[in-house]
Amino acid sequence: MASPAEQIKHLLEDNSFPSMVKLDGDWGSGKTYYTKHTLNPELKRISNTKNIIYFSLFGLSSLNDFRDKLISASYLSDKADPNWIGQVKDSALGIFKAFDTDNAGTIGNILKTSSGAIKHALMARLENLIVVLDDLERLNDTKFQEQIIGECLHFAEENKFSFIFVLNSAELNLNNSLLEKAFSGKVKFSHNTEELFKIAFEPYGDLLDFKPQLIRLIEKYELKNLRVLKRVAYKLKYIYSQIKDIPDVDLDVTIAGFAKDLIRISCLHYKHEKSVKEIYSALGNKSIKAKIQAQPNAIQKTNEQDEFYNRYRDYYPPTEKMVSYCCNETQLTMDINELGKIVLNTNLIAQLLFNHSSLYRDDFNYLLTELNNLRFKKENVPIKRWFEACQFYIYLIEHNFIDDKNISKFINMLKKDVNKKEFYRDTENQYHTFKLYTPDISNLYEEHSAKLEAEDSKISDDELFDKIKVSWANVHEEVEKKFSTSCFLNKYTEKKWFITIKNWHLKEIECFTDFIRERYRAQNIKRYLKDELPVLQKLHQLIHQEIDSLHGQKAGLFTLLNNVIYRGITQLSVRKDG
């Protein structure tokens, strides 16, 4: 098949039409890149008797602007043949002498100071040109677009110039009769996938190792927009730079996962104009039907949405950070785990859960055994990974990878087994992609996660109080940071506080008194501190009784402390009653 340049040359040489051709392609298809890097050099090679001039029409607002641009592009171009440029410059200087001007020294001054007559004379001296005009559709004024086509038609009919309009006809709303009269034909432009990949990804050599996966994803989601693919390549290169040196990282699997998210999200955002909120909500749910009330119109609309989004959904939803990153609402992140899952070669469970190709591996049964070992484990079970494994097991049942097809039986077994587990919070893995689709499993997770959180909180509180007993001064900043807007004193009984205060050195009592004074100042009190009131009231009574048995400095410090506790009680009581 003839190249676009050869097809264009053939159309330009058709004497039955004006020498004007359209190179038509979608937005972002790579028309401009092709024109600059391939079309213009190839035209120059196969049309060696003509000079090639290229410029964009974007930003022009009148025919005078267009004529000035055409003159400047012709006389000042560094792309055209130097001998030809010399000839037209000599012609221009001769015109200036004929018009008796003093500006014959520079071509730039010619364009700045010339009268209309001089410009027309300059235009008349131009010939043997192929003029490539880009971005006609970016001129918002349809009338101006038609004027430019008419002006070019005039030059073409005089056999002085040939014109190639690089445009997106879908964005034009011009009179068909004008287009049929003006143009000898249209060459439809598009890059194939290999060409798109080469242009977008070759500048980042490290990504070429992942060409098969990237080609497959580009074709799967039909992302043919070169501008968008260049953005994808740039972002994927950054991600690669952040993960390539992680010990034991499975680069093939991890990059494939990130690339899939980048391409499908970019396709939804740039091609289909979906917002961050729409994309995250749709891809994070296997179906959005449950979110719509059962009204006939709503059901029909939801079915249409589901059908559209199902092409972009899979078992692994993107993170909210990744959606924002793809859509340019957030830029660099300090934690690459926020963008997606990093899969390690040493983690067999992760290989099964987050590597779709593992379903086709020869060692699938071995990986499945590892998954079952985790499911049946009783002690030291990472809670999120365990529930992820259970959710994935249901996926395997649904898709016939497991002989036992009874999902209800499996869930009932989980409900019994889960109470025997000793869960812990898995801090070694990042769970930004954590998602549970089955309501029963999700509810079980919420229940046991809340229990684990309460246990963790109790351990944390006990550890904190152990430090408090040693020194309030060493922990008061930590306490203020963690509990400035939440209850704290009521985590421990009044007796614990009283015994601790009695055992403190005098400096610790002073520091604690300052804390209580600041905590209950009127402007700082919020309703969420009212639950500390009972502990304060009882502690106030204990300290009041103790003061009678104290003497000197310690009696004074206890009195000062009890006074600020009393003021706190007063403020909390007022707020509570109000």
Side-chain angles (χ1 to χ4, degrees):
M1 182 178 178
S3 70
E6 291 170 332
Q7 296 178 57
I8 288 171
K9 179 177 181 291
H10 176 73
L11 289 170
L12 292 178
E13 291 174 346
D14 184 355
N15 293 327
S16 64
F17 278 94
S19 191
M20 291 174 57
V21 176
K22 291 182 289 183
L23 178 63
D24 188 12
D26 295 335
W27 176 83
S29 60
K31 302 184 299 295
T32 298
Y33 182 93
Y34 171 79
T35 299
K36 291 180 177 180
H37 293 85
T38 303
L39 177 62
N40 289 351
E42 193 169 344
L43 280 174
K44 188 164 183 61
R45 179 181 61 81
I46 62 180
S47 301
N48 50 18
T49 60
K50 291 193 174 185
N51 287 281
I52 315 297
I53 301 298
Y54 168 89
F55 63 89
S56 170
L57 297 170
F58 181 66
L60 304 185
S61 58
S62 69
L63 274 181
N64 281 333
D65 287 348
F66 172 67
R67 290 165 185 153
D68 287 348
K69 187 87 173 191
L70 183 56
I71 292 170
S72 64
S74 303
Y75 282 86
L76 303 178
S77 174
D78 59 353
K79 305 295 184 185
D81 180 72
N83 293 327
W84 178 80
I85 288 293
Q87 293 171 12
V88 296
K89 285 185 178 180
D90 289 341
S91 296
L93 296 177
I95 291 169
F96 259 72
K97 291 173 183 177
F99 277 90
D100 220 11
T101 73
D102 296 324
N103 293 311
T106 65
I107 299 298
N109 286 334
I110 292 175
L111 297 175
K112 292 179 182 177
T113 62
S114 295
S115 66
I118 294 178
K119 289 181 181 179
H120 281 294
L122 288 170
M123 292 286 291
R125 296 296 181 98
L126 293 175
E127 59 184 9
N128 203 30
L129 273 178
I130 296 177
V131 181
V132 184
L133 301 175
D134 204 351
D135 298 321
L136 178 69
E137 71 276 8
R138 297 181 69 184
L139 301 177
N140 295 325
D141 187 346
T142 302
K143 183 178 179 181
F144 183 33
Q145 292 173 345
E146 293 175 348
Q147 287 175 340
I148 286 179
I149 293 174
E151 183 83 351
C152 294
L153 180 60
H154 169 70
F155 289 124
E157 287 178 334
E158 291 185 350
N159 294 318
K160 294 175 65 65
F161 300 162
S162 297
F163 289 93
I164 302 170
F165 281 77
V166 182
L167 50 78
N168 178 8
S169 60
E171 299 296 324
L172 288 173
N173 187 25
L174 298 177
N175 187 291
N176 283 333
S177 61
L178 171 65
L179 297 176
E180 290 174 4
K181 176 183 177 183
F183 292 97
S184 61
K186 173 177 72 174
V187 175
K188 188 65 179 177
F189 174 80
S190 65
H191 281 300
N192 61 41
T193 307
E194 287 281 345
E195 291 169 336
L196 288 170
F197 177 85
K198 181 178 180 180
I199 297 169
F201 289 91
E202 274 201 352
Y204 312 107
D206 291 333
L207 299 182
L208 299 182
D209 292 339
F210 311 102
K211 181 178 178 179
Q213 301 100 305
L214 293 170
I215 289 285
R216 180 180 60 81
L217 290 166
I218 292 168
E219 291 177 342
K220 176 180 179 180
Y221 295 110
E222 297 182 359
L223 184 54
K224 304 296 186 182
N225 190 304
L226 182 58
R227 285 193 181 98
V228 177
L229 279 174
K230 284 183 174 181
R231 294 172 186 173
V232 168
Y234 180 75
K235 292 179 185 295
L236 189 60
K237 169 61 178 175
Y238 167 72
I239 292 172
Y240 174 82
S241 70
Q242 298 300 300
I243 67 172
K244 63 184 178 68
D245 295 323
I246 295 176
D248 298 318
V249 63
D250 188 327
L251 277 174
D252 285 339
V253 172
T254 303
I255 287 295
F258 281 114
K260 175 194 65 181
D261 284 345
L262 285 168
I263 290 174
R264 61 174 170 164
I265 294 167
S266 296
C267 193
L268 285 169
H269 183 63
Y270 294 107
K271 183 177 178 181
H272 299 291
E273 299 182 341
K274 301 299 182 181
S275 69
V276 169
K277 184 177 180 181
E278 288 172 324
I279 295 170
Y280 180 66
S281 176
L283 298 190
N285 294 278
K286 283 192 172 180
S287 172
I288 54 179
K289 292 179 182 178
K291 291 194 171 187
I292 308 295
Q293 293 182 347
Q295 300 174 358
N297 292 338
I299 291 174
Q300 181 179 357
K301 183 177 180 181
T302 304
N303 288 337
E304 293 172 358
Q305 288 177 309
D306 255 348
E307 186 176 348
F308 169 76
Y309 280 114
N310 276 341
R311 180 181 178 189
Y312 300 95
R313 292 188 181 117
D314 66 11
Y315 184 81
Y316 315 98
T319 68
E320 189 170 10
K321 281 279 189 181
M322 174 57 98
V323 178
S324 296
Y325 181 60
C326 286
C327 301
N328 282 334
E329 290 201 2
T330 59
Q331 296 303 315
L332 301 183
T333 175
M334 297 301 293
D335 183 3
I336 202 69
N337 291 280
E338 293 180 338
L339 298 182
K341 181 63 67 176
I342 296 172
V343 180
L344 303 181
N345 288 310
T346 53
N347 192 325
L348 298 179
I349 301 296
Q351 283 283 332
L352 182 59
L353 295 182
F354 307 112
N355 179 8
H356 186 72
S357 64
S358 65
L359 300 176
Y360 307 92
R361 283 167 49 167
D362 293 337
D363 62 347
F364 169 76
N365 288 331
Y366 176 69
L367 296 176
L368 184 59
T369 299
E370 290 296 311
L371 183 72
N372 285 324
N373 288 341
L374 174 64
R375 283 181 42 235
F376 295 124
K377 190 177 181 181
K378 301 295 183 184
E379 299 176 349
N380 296 322
V381 182
I383 184 167
K384 285 193 172 182
R385 181 51 50 84
W386 190 83
F387 277 96
E388 279 182 330
C390 293
Q391 180 65 74
F392 190 72
Y393 198 84
I394 288 180
Y395 172 86
L396 295 176
I397 294 174
E398 290 173 337
H399 292 82
N400 298 316
F401 285 94
I402 304 295
D403 292 335
D404 186 356
K405 307 293 192 296
N406 195 327
I407 293 178
S408 297
K409 179 181 176 181
F410 173 70
I411 291 176
N412 288 332
M413 180 187 69
L414 288 183
K415 289 179 179 179
K416 295 177 181 177
D417 288 348
V418 71
N419 295 314
K420 304 173 185 176
K421 304 293 182 186
E422 294 182 7
F423 290 118
Y424 73 93
R425 211 58 87 172
D426 184 2
T427 57
E428 294 181 1
N429 294 288
Q430 301 293 333
Y431 286 94
H432 300 286
T433 60
F434 183 72
K435 196 80 175 179
L436 300 174
Y437 295 107
T438 305
D440 284 321
I441 291 183
S442 180
N443 292 337
L444 281 174
Y445 168 74
E446 294 297 334
E447 176 188 344
H448 287 271
S449 180
K451 289 180 180 178
L452 185 58
E453 187 174 346
E455 293 171 4
D456 291 343
S457 178
K458 178 67 167 58
I459 293 171
S460 177
D461 291 344
D462 289 345
E463 290 175 349
L464 177 60
F465 201 76
D466 286 340
K467 293 190 287 185
I468 288 172
K469 287 188 289 186
V470 175
S471 169
W472 175 260
N474 289 341
V475 299
H476 80 275
E477 289 185 1
E478 177 185 348
V479 171
E480 288 175 355
K481 183 177 180 180
K482 287 183 178 179
F483 303 104
S484 62
T485 58
S486 61
C487 288
F488 164 67
L489 271 77
N490 59 322
K491 289 179 175 288
Y492 315 106
T493 67
E494 67 279 2
K495 290 183 179 179
K496 273 192 171 185
W497 280 115
F498 179 65
I499 294 171
T500 298
I501 293 169
K502 282 181 63 177
N503 291 331
W504 274 339
H505 295 296
L506 300 182
K507 201 67 178 175
E508 305 294 342
I509 298 174
E510 178 191 11
C511 187
F512 186 68
T513 301
D514 290 340
F515 168 77
I516 296 294
R517 181 184 297 110
E518 294 300 319
R519 186 167 180 80
Y520 300 110
R521 285 187 183 277
Q523 63 266 35
N524 290 335
I525 293 179
K526 306 294 182 183
R527 283 191 180 275
Y528 44 69
L529 294 183
K530 69 179 184 295
D531 290 339
E532 292 185 349
L533 181 58
V535 171
L536 282 178
Q537 290 172 327
K538 294 173 183 177
L539 181 59
H540 178 264
Q541 292 174 1
L542 290 173
I543 293 177
H544 178 75
Q545 294 169 3
E546 180 70 12
I547 289 174
D548 290 339
S549 63
L550 299 175
H551 303 281
Q553 191 177 14
K554 195 161 189 176
L557 290 174
F558 266 58
T559 300
L560 292 176
L561 173 58
N562 221 27
N563 287 343
V564 297
I565 290 174
Y566 180 76
R567 283 198 289 272
I569 292 170
T570 301
Q571 296 300 329
L572 288 176
S573 298
V574 170
R575 178 56 66 110
K576 186 175 181 179
D577 294 340

